[in-house]
Amino acid sequence: MTRRGWIGGNWKLHNTVAESVDLAQGVRRRLEGASGKVEVVLGPVFTALWSVSEVLQGCDIQLMGQDLFYEQGGAYTGAVSGPHVRSAGCQYVLVGHSERRQYFGETVASTHLRLKAALASDLIPVLCIGETLEQREQGATEAVLEEQLLGALGDVSPEGLQGWVIAYEPVWAIGTGHAATEQQAQEAHGFIRALLRRRDVAWGDATRVVYGGSVKPQNAGGFLAQPDVDGALVGGASLKVEDFAAIVEQAS
Ligand code: PGA
């Protein structure tokens, strides 16, 4: 089973519109002509999505929203929903990033609603799951991953989730400089794939599971060499053209 590599840049709450456009132009220039073996995805703040989508016109770099509200529209001040993310030019959307869970009260139940909302708006979800340090130390990693994954899925069928992406992001590795080891990543990815295969073997084999948490040019190759690691969700290192391009090149 060959799965197309996937490298996403999660820009988080960084960069104004002008800065986002600059960064996207830099990434485009740097990766122009790079082989299409790996899918490259950029995730700016909501307010920069449309401008960045214009920068990416005519090239195969894709655009990703960092979140979506699960209602489509209505009296929800401050929210941004699937149709808005889609119409701003996105193909992908993050669901359940641990920073959303930590700071914005997202729960397993709300990730399920968001996953369904993404599909309803023709967006490909990138579901983020991962354990905290405390949970890992308690030996609860697999239980947490299972709860977050199966809870987000609920009754959503594998047919609706072709081409989607799961990001395994141990919370303790995000933005800390302490990445998981390659073995820890492979173990978690293998476990996640086994959960998917339990529901549908072909789907489990086809789903891309990417690693996130302090990925840098220096450690990316080691993760990408693991049999069940299909790419990376990159935060800090995605804010520098050279670092991000170096990671993409290792995946190509
Ligand atoms: P990081 O973030 O690469 O800065 O650790 C990854 C993420 O949160 O997606």
Side-chain angles (χ1 to χ4, degrees):
M1 161 59 58
T2 49
R3 293 177 289 269
R4 187 170 179 215
W6 190 98
I7 303 288
N10 175 12
W11 294 357
K12 308 192 181 189
L13 187 50
H14 296 291
N15 295 332
T16 60
V17 175
E19 289 162 348
S20 299
V21 164
D22 264 6
L23 181 55
Q25 283 169 339
V27 171
R28 180 180 178 157
R29 259 196 307 273
R30 181 64 176 71
L31 293 178
E32 201 103 73
S35 95
K37 263 194 206 154
V38 51
E39 199 167 356
V40 179
V41 181
L42 304 183
V45 292
F46 286 133
T47 49
L49 285 173
W50 179 249
S51 305
V52 170
S53 82
E54 294 187 318
V55 173
L56 301 180
Q57 285 283 324
C59 75
D60 56 12
I61 299 173
Q62 313 256 38
L63 193 62
M64 174 174 78
Q66 297 178 13
D67 180 39
L68 79 168
F69 186 49
Y70 50 76
E71 295 291 350
Q72 296 226 332
Y76 302 104
T77 301
V80 177
S81 71
H84 299 91
V85 173
R86 186 80 183 95
S87 70
C90 291
Q91 293 80 30
Y92 284 94
V93 67
L94 292 178
V95 171
H97 190 282
S98 65
E99 286 152 14
R100 300 295 314 172
R101 298 180 198 251
Q102 191 179 349
Y103 303 119
F104 300 94
E106 264 191 49
T107 61
V108 169
S110 75
T111 61
H112 171 62
L113 297 175
R114 281 171 159 81
L115 191 74
K116 291 217 281 206
L119 298 176
S121 289
D122 200 21
L123 288 161
I124 306 170
V126 180
L127 175 68
C128 303
I129 59 177
E131 81 288 357
T132 62
L133 185 58
E134 194 185 7
Q135 289 165 332
R136 175 163 282 268
E137 286 173 349
Q138 288 167 350
T141 298
E142 293 192 348
V144 169
L145 295 179
E146 182 162 355
E147 190 206 359
Q148 292 181 348
L149 175 56
L150 300 187
L153 280 175
D155 58 358
V156 178
S157 75
E159 293 79 67
L161 284 168
Q162 302 298 324
W164 76 320
V165 176
I166 297 175
Y168 167 60
E169 297 205 307
V171 177
W172 47 273
I174 296 177
T176 59
H178 298 291
T181 65
E182 296 155 17
Q183 291 71 20
Q184 286 170 326
Q186 171 54 33
E187 265 170 38
H189 285 227
F191 176 73
I192 291 165
R193 194 173 309 287
L195 287 175
L196 298 171
R197 291 180 101 248
R198 220 190 277 165
R199 209 169 263 203
D200 183 308
V201 173
W203 179 58
D205 287 340
T207 294
R208 279 136 349 143
V209 185
V210 305
Y211 169 78
S214 297
V215 175
K216 302 184 274 278
Q218 296 80 351
N219 62 18
F223 289 117
L224 296 167
Q226 303 304 309
D228 285 301
V229 177
D230 305 311
L233 181 57
V234 186
S238 72
L239 298 171
K240 294 196 189 116
V241 172
E242 270 315 311
D243 286 357
F244 188 63
I247 294 167
V248 171
E249 279 162 1
Q250 292 181 65
S252 304

